[in-house]
Amino acid sequence: QKTAYEIYQCDWSSDVCSSDLILIEEAKTNVAQESSDFTTWWDLIGLTSVAKGTVQSPVQNEMYSEIIPDAVVNSFTMIRVITGQTFSANTTVSLQAKVRNGAGGTWIAIRTNSAATGLNYTYFDLNNGVIGTDQHAYSSIEDLGNGDYLITATHQLSGGDTVLSDHAIVIAGADNNPQSTGDGIAIWAYLTAAQLEAGVPTSYIPSTGGTTTRNKEVCEYDFPTAFNTPNIDINMSGRFELPYDA
């Protein structure tokens, strides 16, 4: 797979990718078998509805799913990944999603599970765009504008993780509180672009009904035949950046 010269590749945004960067990424697989429709391939706990609504998400031509918790006091409310993928020992696993705050709540969390440390949570304040309690090796919240955020969490696995359904996006009641109280009516959060992958988080890989792999990308430019002459100097410049510490 090639990334064309002087054509920006990035997730869709309101400013139509006005960044001066070309995004070149390694081969990665989104093992979440459905990245935007949470009615299938996800284990729903304590939820009245996760149907897609009419609010435009940061992903072009894709509406947010509306997360409505049940009318239960202090309930565990979450969307758990269902996948057959088992991650190797001593590797990392990352879960990310694009989210927007709803009228019902303020906090959302990413939860991962490992054989040695059990459940690990990172809490995100969607009103203020900040991270609360954080039990992961790396976590981030990126302001995408218009009230939208990209949230990520990465956990180091010390053993093969066989309880993969416990990787989840949790509707939290407060910082460091994984339980919430819904009313079965109010939308607590808007959710899309969920991605579970080995290693550090990379850009969005849409999936529909199965795991999806993005091939390794190569940036190259075919010089015109006019340059195919001896004794010519070609100067090239560029910049390499990592979007996170790795």
Side-chain angles (χ1 to χ4, degrees):
Q1 181 173 345
K2 299 179 181 179
T3 297
Y5 172 74
E6 287 186 343
I7 295 180
Y8 300 136
Q9 175 187 321
C10 62
D11 291 339
W12 177 84
S13 65
S14 58
D15 62 358
V16 196
C17 298
S18 61
S19 168
D20 60 350
L21 299 179
I22 300 177
L23 181 62
I24 310 297
E25 295 200 278
E26 61 184 315
K28 274 297 195 73
T29 298
N30 184 1
V31 300
Q33 299 181 72
E34 175 59 64
S35 59
S36 65
D37 183 352
F38 302 100
T39 59
T40 58
W41 296 108
W42 292 80
D43 186 13
L44 307 179
I45 299 175
L47 291 168
T48 295
S49 175
V50 294
K52 284 197 176 186
T54 59
V55 176
Q56 172 66 53
S57 79
V59 182
Q60 192 170 21
N61 299 324
E62 189 170 287
M63 299 297 130
Y64 269 122
S65 292
E66 300 175 344
I67 310 304
I68 303 175
D70 291 340
V72 179
V73 176
N74 294 329
S75 171
F76 283 99
T77 303
M78 67 189 72
I79 304 167
R80 297 194 303 191
V81 182
I82 299 175
T83 174
Q85 174 74 33
T86 299
F87 296 100
S88 302
N90 302 315
T91 60
T92 55
V93 57
S94 297
L95 180 58
Q96 63 173 285
K98 292 181 173 68
V99 296
R100 181 187 293 186
N101 196 26
T106 299
W107 291 86
I108 197 168
I110 287 179
R111 187 179 87 177
T112 61
N113 180 45
S114 67
T117 63
L119 301 176
N120 303 272
Y121 291 86
T122 295
Y123 292 83
F124 302 91
D125 179 351
L126 300 186
N127 270 352
N128 300 300
V130 297
I131 295 175
T133 301
D134 186 4
Q135 298 176 334
H136 288 98
Y138 168 81
S139 301
S140 69
I141 182 168
E142 179 184 351
D143 189 347
L144 303 177
N146 200 36
D148 302 316
Y149 293 97
L150 170 63
I151 58 173
T152 64
T154 300
H155 184 61
Q156 177 73 40
L157 298 178
S158 57
D161 189 350
T162 57
V163 193
L164 290 177
S165 62
D166 274 347
H167 297 312
I169 298 165
V170 180
I171 304 302
D175 183 24
N176 204 26
N177 178 11
Q179 295 178 299
S180 59
T181 300
D183 60 7
I185 300 173
I187 299 171
W188 276 54
Y190 297 89
L191 178 66
T192 195
Q195 184 159 309
L196 179 66
E197 59 192 311
V200 295
T202 60
S203 68
Y204 179 41
I205 305 169
S207 60
T208 305
T211 61
T212 303
T213 299
R214 176 187 58 232
N215 294 329
K216 180 179 71 174
E217 298 171 336
V218 178
C219 182
E220 63 180 31
Y221 175 61
D222 295 327
F223 286 97
T225 55
F227 286 97
N228 190 22
T229 58
N231 303 319
I232 186 171
D233 293 327
I234 299 175
N235 295 317
M236 302 181 67
S237 63
R239 184 166 86 241
F240 177 76
E241 292 186 1
L242 287 175
Y244 39 73
D245 295 329

